[in-house]
Amino acid sequence: MAIVAEILLEDHTLPLVGLANSIPSGEIAVSDSVALEDGHYLLTVRVDDESREAFERGVDAQSEVVDTAEVGQTADGWFYQVTIDSGSDLFASHDPEQFEGVLLDATVTGDGVQESKVFSDYEAFRHLRDRCEIHDIPFELLTIAADPERPGERDTFGLTERQYTALSVAFSRGYYDSLRRMTTQELADELGISAPSASDLLRRAERRLIGQLFGPKQYLNELTH
């Protein structure tokens, strides 16, 4: 089943992040990204009227920008095509030959790149997270939904709000990585509870997810065989 995930790649060295930080709106919308034969990427981006002049003054000064062309104005703002040097780790981590996700929209801010993507399944989502880790790009899961028709509605998969929050924080901070990057105590501190309570919260959340995946009877059979 396809899922929609909203993620934040929080890295100030990513393409156009420095520029987004310097314009009045603080953000640059990315509507399309195309890999070119010369190894560069062609981005179609949009800025609002208030940010147009600052964008045009600063875009060509960005080290990653190879070329810029104005497309024109619509009711949503000013559109430009910006050619980016593909040497950035962002593009390496999103290799189209390996990555199954489809971009819905992306926004470059002063903090990094926020993306909304459709994945064929959770394995495809995990592949992107792993490649971002390989390229040292901080990866934070903001929301996830199991219904692409309602990407703005988070699917809690039967979890309580506290269980969902605990799992989301633990996952995004590396608690479940093979080389754990977050301890139970650190998770507890972030949630404002004791370490035993955090451990119990995760355990109950994991049990509920497993129960939904296999069903009560099959889950019990898995444990006893």
Side-chain angles (χ1 to χ4, degrees):
M1 179 176 61
I3 61 172
V4 176
E6 186 177 10
I7 60 178
L8 172 64
L9 308 177
E10 190 173 1
D11 188 335
H12 294 178
T13 67
L14 294 177
L16 303 182
V17 171
L19 180 59
N21 197 41
S22 70
I23 63 178
S25 67
E27 61 180 40
I28 300 169
V30 180
S31 57
D32 194 21
S33 173
V34 178
L36 303 178
E37 292 183 356
D38 59 4
H40 294 153
Y41 276 77
L42 180 65
L43 306 183
T44 301
V45 305
R46 172 177 51 82
V47 297
D48 61 20
D49 290 339
E50 185 182 6
S51 300
R52 179 194 177 194
E53 290 186 6
F55 176 87
E56 291 185 348
R57 286 196 307 267
V59 64
D60 291 330
Q62 306 303 304
S63 60
E64 69 272 20
V65 173
V66 177
D67 189 31
T68 308
E70 180 185 302
V71 176
Q73 183 185 26
T74 72
D76 295 324
W78 288 86
F79 282 81
Y80 299 83
Q81 287 190 321
V82 181
T83 305
I84 300 289
D85 183 351
S86 61
S88 168
D89 285 337
L90 174 65
F91 297 111
S93 67
H94 289 58
D95 186 342
E97 294 183 359
Q98 302 181 51
F99 179 48
E100 299 179 38
V102 176
L103 181 70
L104 291 178
D105 59 68
T107 302
V108 182
T109 72
D111 294 324
V113 180
Q114 187 168 319
E115 300 179 330
S116 180
K117 293 180 179 294
V118 177
F119 297 86
S120 59
D121 51 33
Y122 285 98
E123 186 69 12
F125 170 80
R126 186 181 62 81
H127 285 167
L128 174 62
R129 183 204 64 183
D130 291 346
R131 278 197 294 277
C132 285
E133 183 175 348
I134 290 172
H135 293 282
D136 294 323
I137 297 176
F139 182 101
E140 180 179 354
L141 175 63
L142 300 177
T143 63
I144 191 166
D147 186 354
E149 296 298 322
R150 298 178 297 159
E153 296 185 23
R154 186 184 69 191
D155 193 335
T156 58
F157 306 98
L159 301 176
T160 67
E161 186 69 23
R162 292 181 71 244
Q163 289 170 346
Y164 184 93
T165 298
L167 279 180
S168 179
V169 171
F171 178 77
S172 65
R173 301 291 192 272
Y175 181 88
Y176 290 105
D177 290 355
S178 56
L179 295 177
R180 184 171 289 182
R181 295 185 288 112
M182 182 184 221
T183 66
T184 303
Q185 185 60 59
E186 289 171 337
L187 173 63
D189 291 342
E190 185 152 345
L191 297 175
I193 59 179
S194 68
S197 294
S199 179
D200 181 64
L201 193 59
L202 287 182
R203 185 165 55 251
R204 285 186 283 113
E206 292 161 359
R207 182 181 179 85
R208 179 165 293 190
L209 285 178
I210 294 172
Q212 287 208 28
L213 178 62
F214 294 110
K217 291 183 179 179
Q218 186 170 347
Y219 172 64
L220 290 175
N221 289 335
E222 291 288 333
L223 292 179
T224 57
H225 289 82

